[in-house]
Structure formats: C-alpha cells, structure tokens
Amino acid sequence: MTEPLHVVALLFPHVTQLDFTGPAQVFAKMPGAELHVAADSLDPVPTDAGFSILPTTTLEAAPQGDVLFVPGGRGTFELLEDEPTLAFLRHQAAEAQWVTSVCTGSFLLGAAGLLRGRRATSHWGSLHLLERLGAIPTAERVVRDGPVITAAGVSAGIDFALRLTAEIHGDDVAKRLQLLLEYDPEPPFDAGAPSRPDADDELAQAQISATTELRGDVVERAAARLTGD
C-alpha cells in the first residue's frame, strides 16, 4: 500500500477513551500511517474518562481515509439518528479500503447501513442488539468480514489494530509493534468476558438487560430508518 496510509477516526462526546487511544497508539507506530481525528469542530471532545481529546480536523475537512475507524462509548447511541455523522461514515466508507470499529462503534457503522449481512462484533453487553441493524452478531474478539473489521469491547481495540497492521504490512511488522508496545497482557483475573470462568454471570446478565432497556428503542429507530432507505 502506498504511503501515507490515511486513517480517519471519528471522535464524538462520551467516547470511551481506550477504544480510541489503544488503536491510536498502534497507528502511531504503524509504518506510513497518518491519523486524522475528525469531529464536528476543532473544540476539545470530552471522553468518558473525564478528560478531553483534541480533534485534528472536522468532518467536512477530513481527507478521504484508507482506513475508517469508529471507536465506541455511550456517545455512539447518541449519534444513531444523527444524519450528518451517518452521511460522513457512508461517504468515507465508499472509498476506504478498510472500514473498522471498536466496541459499540459497530452500531454507528450499522446505523449507516455498512454492516448489512456482515459478521460483526461489539461489547458483549450490546452485541445482541446489533442484529437489529442488519449485522450478524459474532461473539469474537476481532471479526473480519471482507474489508470490515470490528472489535469487541475496549481493550480489544489493541488486538484489532495489530490485526489490521498484519493485514496491511504483514505479520512480522505487527509482531514488532506488539513488542515495542510491550503488549503482553497478563490480567490478574480470568473475568474479562461473560464466558470466562471468573466472570460474574449475574452482573453480566443484569448489564445486558439494562443495555436493552436503555438502548433498545434508539437502536430500533435506527433500524427503522435503514428499512426506509
């Protein structure tokens, strides 16, 4: 692939910061990659962690990306009916070589009509709702379906970015980046997903139910908009 490799990331209020900053750290080391952080304006964008991130460009001024990247967070659901954002995603995806997301960023891809009939993943608490937007929910950490790569919740973003690096530059380059970043996870507990032996099943089921109650209606409205397209 010719350089520079333009990575266009969508930034929005209440983004989960690690969804964005984990892959961004990998992109910063990826050979030839140039990250463009696009938002409504150049004002600081508040994250879910209590600090803000500065965009580098606006939605209108963003260059065409080779990679379209959408992180997640509760702000994704606040944008499911925001036509300027959805139009931006459709416009970028039409020419991008890779269309990607982390966590609930896949819901924005779905609301833009970009996941119809494709396998995709998201955070486990929301994954069951993704089918309503035409996707095939797939409970895997990183899912590739053609040019679309989606990752599960939060920390899976680093896995996704290394997977994308391998797709573009080969396994050896991805392995070198993994080493440079000392990405050698050794969590203290085996409780990182509902299927893991140390996970609190009661908490997981309560979270899934709460997500359905809180987000189900807006996902249904987004799905209805797709049906009307």
Side-chain angles (χ1 to χ4, degrees):
M1 183 174 290
T2 59
E3 297 183 4
L5 177 79
H6 293 286
V7 180
V8 174
L10 177 67
L11 190 63
F12 48 85
H14 312 304
V15 65
T16 294
Q17 65 84 20
L18 188 58
D19 286 2
F20 171 77
T21 56
Q25 191 63 55
V26 177
F27 296 145
K29 299 290 186 182
M30 185 189 291
E34 187 173 311
L35 179 62
H36 307 274
V37 184
D40 282 337
S41 74
L42 295 179
D43 295 334
V45 177
T47 73
D48 69 347
F51 61 84
S52 296
I53 297 174
L54 285 175
T56 62
T57 186
T58 64
L59 301 186
E60 290 185 357
Q64 173 59 52
D66 300 297
V67 177
L68 172 62
F69 165 49
V70 184
R74 68 180 177 90
T76 55
F77 294 98
E78 296 165 3
L79 292 175
L80 289 189
E81 299 175 282
D82 186 76
E83 187 53 38
T85 299
L86 300 180
F88 170 78
L89 295 178
R90 286 190 289 263
H91 175 76
Q92 284 285 332
E95 298 295 332
Q97 297 185 45
W98 299 96
V99 175
T100 71
S101 68
V102 172
C103 196
T104 56
S106 56
F107 279 82
L108 276 175
L109 295 183
L114 302 174
L115 294 183
R116 288 188 177 104
R118 291 191 182 276
R119 297 170 64 250
T121 194
S122 188
H123 187 279
W124 57 262
S126 302
L127 181 61
H128 64 291
L129 295 173
L130 200 55
E131 184 176 14
R132 303 183 188 183
L133 298 176
I136 302 169
T138 305
E140 296 175 10
R141 194 157 170 86
V142 180
V143 175
R144 178 184 172 186
D145 190 327
V148 177
I149 302 179
T150 56
V154 193
S155 63
I158 298 175
D159 300 49
F160 138 71
L162 290 170
R163 170 76 177 271
L164 181 63
T165 301
E167 294 283 357
I168 295 171
H169 294 288
D171 289 358
D172 288 345
V173 172
K175 290 175 183 177
R176 288 198 292 270
L177 292 192
Q178 182 178 358
L179 176 60
L180 290 172
L181 296 173
E182 198 177 354
Y183 182 53
D184 185 25
E186 190 177 334
F189 310 107
D190 194 3
S195 60
R196 306 310 301 168
D198 293 343
D200 185 332
D201 183 64
E202 197 171 301
L203 173 62
Q205 294 307 314
Q207 180 64 41
I208 291 170
S209 296
T211 299
T212 303
E213 183 175 353
L214 183 64
R215 309 297 184 197
D217 286 348
V218 70
V219 174
E220 286 289 0
R221 292 197 301 270
R225 289 166 62 94
L226 284 176
T227 303
D229 288 348

